[in-house]
Amino acid sequence: MKTKYQYLLVLCLFFLFSSSSFSKESSDSIQGRYSQDAHKHITAQAMELLKHQFPYVNFSLLSQNIGDMQTSNGGSFPFQVGKAVTGAFREDEEDVVFNIMGPVGASWYVSNSHFWNADNRNDGDNSLTTLNDIGDYPNAYTKICRYIDGDWRYWNGNGYGGRKYLEYYNPVQGRVYNYSYAKRSNDPSDPGGLINFFKTKKIWLESYYPISFPSQITYVQAYVSLDDGRFRNIVWELVGRMCHLLEDMNVPAHTHNDVHVSILGGDCYEDFMTQASNYNNYTWYTASNNGTFTNGSGMIDPYAINNPDERVRYLMYTANQLADHWPSGPNCSDNPQQHLGNNDLYGGSYPILDTYYQNLGPTPPYISSPAQEGDYCFNHAIRATAGLLYWFAIESGIISNDPASYPHIDNVTTTSPDLNVYRGETVTFTAYPNNPNYVYTWRAIYCDNNNCNYVPAGMNMPQYGNQLTVQNVNYNTVYCRDACGTLLDAAMPAALYFKVEVTARLGSNFISYIFPHDPSDLRKVIPHDFNRPYSGCPYVYVQNEAGQFVSDNNILHRSEFTDLAGQDISDRYMLTIKPGLFNNKISVNLFESTIDVSSINSVKLLAIDHPLGTKIGVTEANDIVMYYDADVESPVNATKNQIEDITQYIQYQNPRSHDTVSGIFNDSILSSYDIPVLRNKVKQNRVKFNPLSRGMQDADNTALIMKIGMDPNLDRPPVIIPAPKDYAGTVTVKTDANNLTTRFARRENPSDVIVPFGQNASIENASIQWNRDYALYYAAVVNIFYDGFDVIELPLSEALNSANVDLLGDLQNLDGYYATLDTTGIIMLKFDNVTNTSGMIRDYILETNGQYAASTSQQRLGSAPKVNSKNSTETTLGFTNKLNANFPNPFNPTTKINYQIKKDGFVSLKIYNVIGQLVKELVGEFKNAGNYIVEFNGSYLASGTYYYRIEANDFIETKKMILIK
């Protein structure tokens, strides 16, 4: 029978799960051998490696239980209760499985069960290890298997018998509890083992006894659930002990069965690594290099082995065989063992042995520097330990073995390319996850401070699923010092940054991912307390085949040019967005996003059917032309500002299409072409064209074709007072016949600019002088034709503004009646489709006649917008009280509501369901007399009928709308 004091001694050695601190004397006893801090370092860095290797996987539960390199309780002894790093640290301090320890008081008072001669095949994996001058003991692989299956016995000094359970002292109750997580023979349904224990938190309670009366044992024989604290202490410290055993397999002395304590001569590699600076500051692995090692990167994947019973052995064996390549002992004097390659006990093939170890070259007889061992052994210890943590996380259900099943966001886009949201504007952020069925949480952050979730007055930020809407209603500038204290530049306007978190249920856990994963990639917009700066021109939005209205490009872009001021112009633009057909109609919206006012006389949509292999374009003279795509000739040489070679970037079929040439005012570009090649292509083009032509056989020209847009990288400061636009530049074309100089314009988004320069001419070079900023995608030469294609005008069947005013009569013909477009609304157009029966390719050209003008006190003479309209009676008489029908109706999920109030006052606009419950308050503030549009998003509502009601002074009206999903 053990005495009370004997049991207390056992508890001090054995209770790896208690919260007791340890003395400095125990710390002193480990000097002269492999520092235990190195085990903590390897374990903690292995966790960092996993997080870098799998950025989409939520390792939070695993990570928070690994621990770090910090000390606890303010003491010098590194110990964190219930953390894996503690188990990794403590594994040498007491042998809880076999109690195989060196003599008490000696500098080698450590566990002796950390060796494994894996090359010894005679007695199998569980063969005893023979240590010189010590004896035979169970090996490290045997021990790690005991930790996994729970079938380990405490050594009681009388052989390998004794209890199959853990002892845990509860100081409150004064009892010692005896537990086991091994498989119980009397319960065949229980698989037992550490993994099952982790999943269930249930453990077999064998017995308990009062610590003051150890002979009074009460046998319980039942499964019990542990509280979280005790459960964590047991599980995670056991995981750390397993990590320690695997880490030891990366030490040559442990694979050679070399006793390496200092009094017996030590070991060159262990002595080197005992110095903290050699592992803590060494570059074998740091979080900043994303897990890149001298030899290989990433964890050692245990799932490279299909047999689930072999995975942990795979990690142990590969580490063992790597370390077996290197010498050990004093001064690295002991030669390494013979590496047996794939001659594995089970006859299997471990691919890492061929692809990794064989690259090390011949077995080295001697190593001049232990750091050379570290280049392989130390970083492999981190990689292998990461693999063990990964194995435990998957087997225990903490993570999935399919990283793609974890929620993550690939990208977030914004509808504000200039990153500005001005008063009256709305910007939308859209998240693109790997699965749409997530729960989304959007966060608005000021001043790039994760702790500052501040939305100022005048800004609305409703969120609907994967979209966040940012509305600048009436924002007044807020500075960082006002919003979140003095951050960055306190006098700088506070930019809004956005993060989105997606959450999904994975098993019994909710897993989240926050975008951006890298904080430097925060999405932002900058709110401004003045109207959007003048950029010019209305934009055309096309309803694509998915039913979404997508911004295509600006139109009437020449209307502000000095020589065209005050004049109606005709503008033809070939749509780059392919329209969708809905009820055999094509829908196009015109939208004025700036403070301009557009007066539009007529709008046409032309369907252009053309042969396969050809393309359609519009020249600077507004002519529709056709050319053969395969016959476009790129320059043989091109320079920017006579210095930079840009030839490869402006090729027509540019394989590096993501690379463009961009620049500013006064830049010049010179491109040269191969005249004989061009002449030959012109001849070939005419031969191909003759069968297609149904009119002018010689209606061709040689033309310079360029794809140009605005410079997307240019910093564009807000401009409140607009400046007149001008042509984008001039191009001088030198041919074999003469020279031609002409001006050309550009739109905001990339589009083709075609400049004809004559018939029967071959171009030698083209010189471009820029008057505006630009992005040039290509500059090439092609033979163009003015015939050989069909032009069909699609009937304009519907034309409404956002106030549901019918504009069809204003826009069908060039009759002097204008539809006015400004920032208070949009013009919605529908064209009847005419079926393409020609068998040719179809493109679409939008033809617009009218002008736009800057609506400011600085507008030029003759640029006042036209107001004569067949529907303009009401607008000339001032505002009235009116609530228009929402558009569209039915809608999914958004619709616009237009209302007018004839005098200043408080306005309330609310949405109700069919039983009268308030769904949403859209407006609830003082408004000046005027015309207003508000958008309602019903993506979070069920399909059905809803009502919207306005109250403004003595004006009250209610209308019905229908949401269909």
Side-chain angles (χ1 to χ4, degrees):
M1 179 184 301
K2 292 184 178 180
T3 68
K4 171 181 176 180
Y5 301 103
Q6 288 175 316
Y7 273 104
L8 287 174
L9 176 60
V10 169
L11 292 176
C12 290
L13 296 175
F14 180 62
F15 293 166
L16 68 155
F17 323 110
S18 71
S19 59
S20 303
S21 299
F22 293 86
S23 67
K24 180 66 169 62
E25 292 177 355
S26 179
S27 177
D28 291 338
S29 70
I30 67 171
Q31 298 301 316
R33 61 179 174 81
Y34 196 18
S35 168
Q36 302 311 300
D37 274 348
H39 283 289
K40 290 180 63 179
H41 178 86
I42 294 172
T43 305
Q45 289 300 310
M47 185 68 252
E48 294 301 310
L49 174 57
L50 281 185
K51 291 190 290 187
H52 280 88
Q53 185 168 346
F54 302 102
Y56 295 149
V57 176
N58 189 320
F59 284 106
S60 57
L61 180 61
L62 182 64
S63 181
Q64 69 189 15
N65 287 287
I66 294 299
D68 50 43
M69 291 298 295
Q70 302 302 313
T71 59
S72 68
N73 301 325
S76 61
F77 195 86
F79 183 69
Q80 298 165 67
V81 177
K83 302 292 185 181
V85 295
T86 299
F89 187 96
R90 296 298 306 169
E91 172 60 17
D92 265 339
E93 300 302 302
E94 63 274 328
D95 192 335
V96 298
V97 175
F98 301 121
N99 196 31
I100 303 173
M101 304 292 289
V104 175
S107 62
W108 45 292
Y109 182 61
V110 295
S111 171
N112 291 332
S113 57
H114 293 177
F115 298 84
W116 183 28
N117 182 6
D119 292 330
N120 182 1
R121 305 298 183 201
N122 296 328
D123 298 322
D125 283 337
N126 295 322
S127 61
L128 296 179
T129 294
T130 299
L131 299 178
N132 293 334
D133 302 322
I134 298 177
D136 295 337
Y137 298 102
N139 64 47
Y141 178 69
T142 302
K143 191 173 190 180
I144 202 170
C145 290
R146 295 293 184 270
Y147 280 138
I148 294 171
D149 59 31
D151 188 17
W152 47 278
R153 300 166 171 81
Y154 173 69
W155 174 265
N156 64 2
N158 296 318
Y160 293 113
R163 301 179 298 276
K164 282 174 75 173
Y165 46 74
L166 320 174
E167 289 187 331
Y168 189 96
Y169 172 56
N170 187 321
V172 176
Q173 298 175 338
R175 292 176 178 176
V176 175
Y177 289 85
N178 303 322
Y179 296 113
S180 170
Y181 61 92
K183 178 178 175 59
R184 307 299 301 180
S185 58
N186 58 346
D187 187 357
S189 64
D190 173 35
L194 183 62
I195 301 300
N196 180 66
F197 174 38
F198 182 90
K199 290 179 177 179
T200 64
K201 289 189 179 181
K202 288 188 175 181
I203 195 168
W204 183 261
L205 177 59
E206 182 81 17
S207 62
Y208 63 85
Y209 56 86
I211 192 169
S212 56
F213 300 100
S215 61
Q216 298 181 6
I217 300 176
T218 300
Y219 292 95
V220 181
Q221 304 292 310
Y223 282 110
V224 295
S225 297
L226 296 183
D227 61 81
D228 287 343
R230 190 178 304 182
F231 167 77
R232 285 194 305 269
N233 290 359
I234 294 175
V235 167
W236 292 108
E237 292 188 19
L238 282 174
V239 170
R241 288 176 180 268
M242 292 169 58
C243 290
H244 182 115
L245 291 170
L246 176 56
E247 290 155 10
D248 273 352
M249 288 301 95
N250 293 271
V251 178
H254 285 272
T255 67
H256 302 160
N257 297 349
D258 277 351
V259 178
H260 44 272
V261 295
S262 57
I263 62 174
L264 297 180
D267 173 70
C268 58
Y269 178 62
E270 290 260 5
D271 292 343
F272 173 78
M273 294 311 303
T274 298
Q275 304 172 46
S277 60
N278 288 341
Y279 65 81
N280 202 30
N281 299 322
Y282 210 79
T283 57
W284 286 314
Y285 177 77
T286 61
S288 61
N289 66 16
N290 295 326
T292 300
F293 295 88
T294 305
N295 297 282
S297 63
M299 71 171 185
I300 305 301
D301 186 5
Y303 292 90
I305 301 302
N306 292 326
N307 185 348
D309 297 329
E310 281 281 284
R311 288 167 182 158
V312 173
R313 185 186 188 277
Y314 171 63
L315 297 173
M316 293 283 286
Y317 182 76
T318 52
N320 180 284
Q321 293 298 290
L322 172 70
D324 206 12
H325 272 80
W326 305 97
S328 59
N331 302 315
C332 290
S333 55
D334 292 346
N335 289 337
Q337 302 296 315
Q338 179 64 41
H339 171 55
L340 298 182
N342 287 338
N343 296 325
D344 180 67
L345 177 65
Y346 300 106
S349 175
Y350 284 165
I352 193 173
L353 298 180
D354 288 328
T355 60
Y356 186 80
Y357 295 161
Q358 298 301 334
N359 294 332
L360 302 181
T363 301
Y366 180 75
I367 296 295
S368 60
S369 171
Q372 296 181 30
E373 294 188 25
D375 283 337
Y376 291 94
C377 296
F378 194 87
N379 74 60
H380 189 275
I382 297 174
R383 298 173 64 199
T385 304
L388 181 63
L389 295 176
Y390 186 73
W391 169 85
F392 181 78
I394 288 178
E395 297 300 322
S396 61
I398 295 175
I399 66 171
S400 166
N401 61 353
D402 178 15
S405 67
Y406 283 84
H408 67 273
I409 298 174
D410 296 313
N411 192 23
V412 171
T413 61
T414 175
T415 57
S416 175
D418 60 359
L419 300 180
N420 296 320
V421 52
Y422 295 88
R423 182 183 295 162
E425 279 196 329
T426 297
V427 174
T428 300
F429 288 87
T430 303
Y432 294 91
N434 61 327
N435 187 312
N437 301 317
Y438 292 144
V439 176
Y440 300 83
T441 303
W442 289 87
R443 301 172 186 171
I445 302 165
Y446 259 81
C447 302
D448 195 10
N449 182 349
N450 285 328
N451 298 319
C452 177
N453 193 2
Y454 172 75
V455 179
M459 298 288 290
N460 289 335
M461 297 183 191
Q463 53 181 286
Y464 307 99
N466 70 321
Q467 288 193 325
L468 172 71
T469 300
V470 181
Q471 300 170 330
N472 186 342
V473 180
N474 190 21
Y475 169 80
N476 292 313
T477 300
V478 175
Y479 296 94
C480 287
R481 61 170 176 264
D482 304 319
C484 311
T486 303
L487 302 170
L488 304 176
D489 181 356
M492 185 179 72
L496 275 168
Y497 295 82
F498 297 95
K499 299 171 70 173
V500 59
E501 180 178 4
V502 288
T503 305
R505 191 178 189 92
L506 192 65
S508 59
N509 298 322
F510 284 97
I511 306 297
S512 296
Y513 178 82
I514 296 178
F515 183 94
H517 203 71
D518 182 354
S520 65
D521 197 28
L522 282 168
R523 298 298 195 259
K524 72 174 181 178
V525 297
I526 302 173
H528 294 279
D529 56 354
F530 46 82
N531 291 330
R532 180 183 173 89
Y534 178 79
S535 63
C537 317
Y539 269 74
V540 55
Y541 281 69
V542 180
Q543 187 178 28
N544 63 17
E545 293 176 309
Q548 301 170 323
F549 280 92
V550 180
S551 173
D552 195 314
N553 219 331
N554 58 323
I555 57 175
L556 295 174
H557 61 306
R558 294 180 178 87
S559 190
E560 264 292 308
F561 294 179
T562 304
D563 58 338
L564 299 174
Q567 303 177 32
D568 282 0
I569 66 170
S570 180
D571 180 37
R572 284 176 169 171
Y573 170 68
M574 193 176 81
L575 303 180
T576 60
I577 306 298
K578 184 177 181 181
L581 277 178
F582 298 92
N583 296 323
N584 205 39
K585 292 182 183 293
I586 294 174
S587 296
V588 173
N589 289 350
L590 303 182
F591 173 70
E592 182 56 76
S593 63
T594 73
I595 59 178
D596 302 335
V597 177
S598 298
S599 301
I600 303 175
N601 200 340
S602 70
V603 178
K604 296 179 181 179
L605 186 63
L606 308 177
I608 315 296
D609 296 336
H610 55 101
L612 183 69
T614 64
K615 283 192 172 183
I616 294 295
V618 178
T619 70
E620 285 297 277
N622 236 22
D623 294 317
I624 302 174
V625 295
M626 181 179 74
Y627 59 94
Y628 283 93
D629 185 50
D631 291 337
V632 179
E633 182 65 17
S634 294
V636 294
N637 182 58
T639 59
K640 175 183 175 183
N641 296 328
Q642 300 179 346
I643 299 175
E644 181 182 356
D645 184 356
I646 60 171
T647 310
Q648 63 176 325
Y649 302 118
I650 63 171
Q651 301 287 310
Y652 178 68
Q653 298 294 346
N654 181 5
R656 302 174 60 177
S657 58
H658 59 284
D659 292 327
T660 61
V661 177
S662 58
I664 58 175
F665 172 81
N666 268 345
D667 275 358
S668 63
I669 288 178
L670 178 65
S671 55
S672 303
Y673 302 86
D674 190 325
I675 291 180
V677 171
L678 290 177
R679 286 175 177 168
N680 185 51
K681 285 194 173 182
V682 168
K683 293 178 181 179
Q684 294 175 353
N685 265 251
R686 289 175 178 171
V687 172
K688 289 191 290 186
F689 175 77
N690 284 337
L692 304 177
S693 176
R694 294 180 287 276
M696 300 173 290
Q697 294 293 322
D698 293 327
D700 70 321
N701 248 304
T702 309
L704 182 69
I705 179 170
M706 303 177 288
K707 185 175 182 180
I708 307 173
M710 66 179 180
D711 183 357
N713 302 314
L714 189 64
D715 184 15
R716 301 171 187 273
V719 179
I720 303 176
I721 300 177
K725 299 290 191 299
D726 204 345
Y727 289 90
T730 59
V731 57
T732 299
V733 176
K734 182 180 180 181
T735 72
D736 52 359
N738 51 37
N739 294 342
L740 171 69
T741 299
T742 185
R743 295 179 296 182
F744 63 90
R746 72 150 173 81
R747 303 180 194 269
E748 302 299 292
N749 295 332
S751 61
D752 282 343
V753 173
I754 300 177
V755 182
F757 54 85
Q759 192 178 28
N760 299 319
S762 293
I763 179 172
E764 180 179 331
N765 59 60
S767 176
I768 305 173
Q769 186 68 35
W770 296 94
N771 296 334
R772 301 179 63 187
D773 67 273
Y774 65 93
L776 179 63
Y777 293 77
Y778 51 75
V781 178
V782 69
N783 206 35
I784 59 173
F785 301 93
Y786 296 81
D787 200 359
F789 49 87
D790 294 334
V791 180
I792 305 168
E793 182 179 340
L794 304 184
L796 177 62
S797 57
E798 294 182 30
L800 297 171
N801 68 12
S802 49
N804 274 1
V805 175
D806 186 2
L807 303 176
L808 191 60
D810 294 340
L811 296 175
Q812 279 183 317
N813 302 293
L814 286 169
D815 52 10
Y817 291 102
Y818 294 82
T820 300
L821 179 65
D822 59 20
T823 54
T824 63
I826 60 176
I827 294 177
M828 296 161 283
L829 308 171
K830 289 191 177 181
F831 299 87
D832 292 336
N833 181 53
V834 175
T835 304
N836 181 4
T837 59
S838 66
M840 295 190 289
I841 303 170
R842 173 164 287 187
D843 282 308
Y844 298 89
I845 290 178
L846 186 73
E847 181 178 309
T848 313
N849 187 280
Q851 64 175 286
Y852 76 87
S855 181
T856 73
S857 60
Q858 303 296 319
Q859 65 190 27
R860 300 189 311 281
L861 181 63
S863 64
K866 307 291 194 300
V867 296
N868 47 315
S869 169
K870 295 178 181 179
N871 301 284
S872 62
T873 304
E874 184 175 286
T875 60
T876 61
L877 298 176
F879 297 110
T880 185
N881 288 325
K882 187 174 183 180
L883 180 65
N884 291 302
N886 64 296
F887 185 87
N889 190 32
F891 66 98
N892 177 28
T894 61
T895 186
K896 293 183 182 294
I897 300 172
N898 172 247
Y899 66 92
Q900 285 186 21
I901 53 173
K902 65 180 181 181
K903 61 180 181 180
D904 301 349
F906 187 85
V907 178
S908 171
L909 180 61
K910 298 179 179 179
I911 310 294
Y912 297 88
N913 59 22
V914 292
I915 62 174
Q917 294 175 321
L918 177 64
V919 172
K920 178 77 174 180
E921 182 180 26
L922 296 179
V923 181
E925 61 185 351
F926 183 89
K927 292 282 189 183
N928 295 322
N931 183 68
Y932 296 91
I933 297 174
V934 62
E935 184 177 83
F936 172 60
N937 190 317
S939 58
Y940 61 98
L941 298 174
S943 299
T945 301
Y946 295 87
Y947 297 89
Y948 56 102
R949 177 183 176 88
I950 189 171
E951 297 182 18
N953 299 310
D954 55 352
F955 172 55
I956 300 176
E957 189 171 351
T958 302
K959 289 186 180 293
K960 179 173 70 174
M961 59 183 177
I962 299 174
L963 172 62
I964 298 178
K965 292 187 174 181

